[in-house]
Amino acid sequence: MTSLADRCAGARRRLRRHPAAFDGALALAVLLCMAAASFTDPHGPHGPTFGTRAPEPLSAVLMVLAASALVLRRRKPFAVLGATTALAVLELVAEDPAAPVAMSAVVALFTVAAHTDRPTTLRAGLLTMALLTGAAMLCSTLPWYSQENLGVLAWSGLAAAGGDAVRSRRAFVDAIRERAERAERTREEEARRRVAEERLRIARDLHDVVAHHIALVNVQAGVAAHVMDRRPDQAREALAHVRQAGRSALEELRATVGLLRQSDDPEAPTEPAPGLGLLTELAGSFGRAGLAVEVARADEGVSLPAAVDLAAYRIIQESLTNVHKHAGAGARAEVSVVSVGDTLEITVLDDGTGAAPPDGSGHGLIGMRERVTAFGGVLTAGPRHGGGFRVQAILPLTARAARLGAAGRPVPAGGPAGTGEDA
């Protein structure tokens, strides 16, 4: 069974959805209250007595007019306040004892206070209290300090204070709702940003893996096709390298794409990400593809964060792939890894004279620059004087890099990407 409180709450919600009907009902209720009070004598022999007096015709007209004005209280609050105050003052001046027309002015003052700012409420409240209380004290036959006169002052003040409190609470609730909506929008934007960063990271890793191994497969397949008839042993060796490069590409692709699996997937890969520990094997793979690579390292005893280790490996891999593609036949490459203070410096040089230097049409150098920028490092790349190309990356070994490594992936900073080329 529906309780009385639930029925009342439902009625209030329906009235709020129809403000004109609510204001009409309020005006009728105020009129009934004024009429009931006008028939009550507060100074009866045994306390307030109902039915011992009746309102004058002028008082009845003023009560009806004042109550009717309340129907427009939302649309014209100040006009309604002025009209009801004037009618209440007229009643206090013309009749004694006066009918409680001031009730309508109290409701109108509450409406003004609830829909305007505090300074305006203060001015309107003081003016209304002064007019009503002054008329009651000056024109009544009762002493100025009688409870009826002081009651006019108290009710006017309570109306102004109550309306201001309602306005403040409404503003507070609106501010909380706005902050909640803003926080929700911020969470959604953050989620979209993280998704975009993750997509960029996976795309960069896939590019590095595929570009390196497919370049090796392409070269070795070309060699095999060239010597297939005259030197079948060399062709078989080249095809073995193709098979090995393809297997390595598949393994790295499986590890990279496996990051997209659900955490409870038992087949999710658990192999560690490649790092500088595999630099010798990386140089050997290029050597088997015909690119002579010399490696020099001065980073012994340095513990690298996982993210820095991966970024360093990918930068060298991408740089050597570019050398293999663009430096031309007979080119040599030099790789140096040096630990200087709290930074790791990586330099890749080549002496190639190929006719197709990096032209900025792809994503190789862009991806490298994004990796370096994620750690607050610096990447420089450009032609060398006298021929060849030079790539240098400086990666800081800071607490930020350690945090990124602990997270298992670098977060792209979205900084300005320099001119790059596709491996």
Side-chain angles (χ1 to χ4, degrees):
M1 180 180 294
T2 305
S3 64
L4 178 60
D6 294 337
R7 289 196 295 270
C8 292
R12 285 197 299 270
R13 286 193 295 269
R14 287 191 294 272
L15 289 175
R16 288 195 185 99
R17 288 195 294 266
H18 304 282
F22 179 82
D23 290 340
L26 178 63
L28 179 61
V30 171
L31 177 60
L32 294 177
C33 290
M34 289 190 296
S38 65
F39 282 94
T40 302
D41 182 8
H43 303 288
H46 301 289
T49 305
F50 181 80
T52 58
R53 69 171 187 174
E56 298 294 331
L58 177 61
S59 298
V61 172
L62 294 178
M63 285 189 291
V64 172
L65 292 176
S68 301
L70 294 179
V71 176
L72 304 175
R73 69 187 187 96
R74 295 177 191 267
R75 285 175 284 179
K76 298 180 179 180
F78 289 99
V80 171
L81 176 61
T84 54
T85 301
L87 293 173
V89 169
L90 178 59
E91 172 65 16
L92 291 171
V93 172
E95 299 294 342
D96 189 23
V101 182
M103 284 187 183
S104 59
V106 168
V107 175
L109 179 58
F110 176 88
T111 302
V112 169
H115 292 84
T116 187
D117 55 89
R118 184 163 294 170
T120 303
T121 298
L122 182 62
R123 290 192 292 268
L126 290 176
L127 180 60
T128 302
M129 285 189 291
L131 291 175
L132 295 179
T133 307
M137 290 181 176
L138 295 176
C139 300
S140 176
T141 57
L142 298 174
W144 67 269
Y145 52 83
S146 64
Q147 61 181 3
E148 287 82 357
N149 297 338
L150 296 179
V152 172
L153 176 65
W155 281 108
S156 302
L158 287 175
D164 184 72
V166 169
R167 179 194 57 77
S168 299
R169 182 182 180 278
R170 186 185 299 120
F172 177 71
V173 172
D174 291 342
I176 292 178
R177 183 181 297 110
E178 180 182 0
R179 284 197 296 270
E181 293 174 353
R182 186 166 57 249
E184 183 65 24
R185 290 194 300 269
T186 302
R187 283 194 295 271
E188 293 176 355
E189 293 171 358
E190 178 67 14
R192 286 194 296 268
R193 184 184 67 83
R194 289 183 179 275
V195 168
E197 290 176 351
E198 185 67 10
R199 291 176 60 188
L200 178 61
R201 183 189 69 82
I202 294 174
R204 186 169 56 238
D205 285 344
L206 288 175
H207 171 271
D208 292 343
V209 171
V210 173
H212 165 63
H213 291 291
I214 295 304
L216 296 182
V217 168
N218 182 56
V219 171
Q220 295 292 351
V223 172
H226 182 68
V227 301
M228 179 68 71
D229 297 329
R230 292 176 298 172
R231 285 174 287 180
D233 293 340
Q234 188 175 353
R236 281 194 296 271
E237 183 181 354
L239 291 176
H241 292 323
V242 169
R243 186 168 56 252
Q244 179 61 35
R247 185 182 301 111
S248 299
L250 289 175
E251 290 175 354
E252 292 201 36
L253 282 174
R254 187 180 300 111
T256 301
V257 177
L259 296 175
L260 302 177
R261 295 180 184 270
Q262 298 296 327
S263 60
D264 57 351
D265 193 335
E267 297 183 2
T270 58
E271 300 88 348
L276 293 181
L278 301 177
L279 184 55
T280 302
E281 289 81 353
L282 178 65
S285 67
F286 279 101
R288 291 188 295 271
L291 175 64
V293 180
E294 182 180 346
V295 178
R297 300 187 61 174
D299 60 336
E300 294 79 3
V302 178
S303 178
L304 300 179
V308 175
D309 197 19
L310 173 61
Y313 179 86
R314 292 302 190 195
I315 290 170
I316 296 174
Q317 182 187 56
E318 180 66 25
S319 300
L320 292 178
T321 303
N322 291 338
V323 173
H324 193 271
K325 288 184 60 177
H326 301 290
R332 297 176 58 86
E334 299 178 5
V335 178
S336 66
V337 181
V338 181
S339 174
V340 180
D342 59 351
T343 61
L344 183 71
E345 295 186 6
I346 301 168
T347 306
V348 180
L349 307 174
D350 71 82
D351 58 359
T353 58
D359 56 5
S361 61
H363 304 283
L365 287 177
I366 293 177
M368 287 191 284
R369 193 178 301 276
E370 288 174 346
R371 288 186 183 276
V372 174
T373 304
F375 300 96
V378 178
L379 178 77
T380 56
R384 299 173 62 194
H385 180 70
F389 203 78
R390 176 178 180 271
V391 175
Q392 184 182 44
I394 301 177
L395 297 172
L397 308 177
T398 59
R400 178 170 182 248
R403 288 195 301 271
L404 290 173
R409 60 178 179 86
V411 179
T419 301
E421 57 86 23
D422 195 15

